[in-house]
Amino acid sequence: MQIQQNTVVSLSYTLKLQNGEIADQTDSENPFVFIHGIGQTLEAFDNNLTGLETGSKFNFSLSAEEGYGKFNPEAVVKLDKSIFSGPHVSENLLTEGNMVPMQDQNGNPMDGIIREIEETTVTVDFNHPLADEILHFSGEIINVRQATAEELDHGHVHGPGGHHH
Ligand code: ZN
């Protein structure tokens, strides 16, 4: 069976950055399992896999625009230090390099990385950690099957590598 919209794909992959660093990796014991074509992965990632079948090997690169976007300097902001204090905030939270879960004005969750801690402010970077990176994916297709109506309804895979409920 070929990979197309609404198939459940199991695959192993290695994600390498331009400098050769391995950013992410799965193997055949612990494959990445997802429904193709419904926005569970990067659109360009899905597109590069269309038509492949079990046993197919792949090797492709995504530009930063196809990946996690260009670095946006405006997404690096100085916030008042006081918002990081309070009974629910751990003292260790304010450490440079920490990833902190926050919310935008509309209450949508977004992760920020603490870049710098100053006297009264904290500089937080809301860019994706892989912003600006060219992504090199290589790997192998382990299995392809049709998604069930229930999986499509739920928007996620059931069974091995997916949800159990
Ligand atoms: Zn479900």
Side-chain angles (χ1 to χ4, degrees):
M1 168 168 244
Q2 291 192 331
I3 295 175
Q4 52 181 306
Q5 175 92 29
N6 297 343
T7 53
V8 172
V9 181
S10 306
L11 54 77
S12 60
Y13 74 88
T14 298
L15 166 57
K16 273 190 186 170
L17 307 182
Q18 192 71 358
N19 65 8
E21 183 191 330
I22 294 176
D24 200 8
Q25 200 165 25
T26 67
D27 58 26
S28 50
E29 304 281 293
N30 247 321
F32 175 50
V33 184
F34 65 101
I35 303 175
H36 187 264
I38 66 164
Q40 285 199 309
T41 69
L42 294 166
E43 189 180 355
F45 181 83
D46 271 6
N47 290 343
N48 273 281
L49 298 173
T50 302
L52 300 184
E53 43 197 27
T54 303
S56 295
K57 293 194 164 58
F58 57 87
N59 197 332
F60 58 84
S61 300
L62 304 185
S63 66
E65 290 88 347
E66 291 173 317
Y68 294 102
K70 299 294 280 181
F71 185 85
N72 175 12
E74 289 181 12
V76 181
V77 294
K78 269 187 201 289
L79 300 174
D80 198 293
K81 206 173 190 172
S82 64
I83 70 170
F84 293 97
S85 61
H88 304 295
V89 180
S90 149
E91 277 184 28
N92 302 325
L93 181 73
L94 279 188
T95 306
E96 282 173 23
N98 259 10
M99 179 86 85
V100 287
M102 301 189 69
Q103 292 184 342
D104 66 13
Q105 308 93 303
N106 303 316
N108 301 310
M110 56 195 301
D111 287 333
I113 298 173
I114 295 181
R115 293 297 183 203
E116 210 176 341
I117 298 162
E118 299 94 4
E119 187 75 30
T120 57
T121 59
V122 178
T123 301
V124 182
D125 181 357
F126 288 102
N127 285 287
H128 190 281
L130 294 179
D132 255 3
E133 295 281 0
I134 297 170
L135 309 174
H136 301 280
F137 287 97
S138 59
E140 185 171 352
I141 308 300
I142 294 167
N143 191 51
V144 184
R145 66 170 169 85
Q146 197 65 49
T148 64
E150 193 183 42
E151 286 174 322
L152 292 174
D153 187 40
H154 290 193
H156 56 229
V157 176
H158 293 162
H163 285 241
H164 301 273
H165 61 97

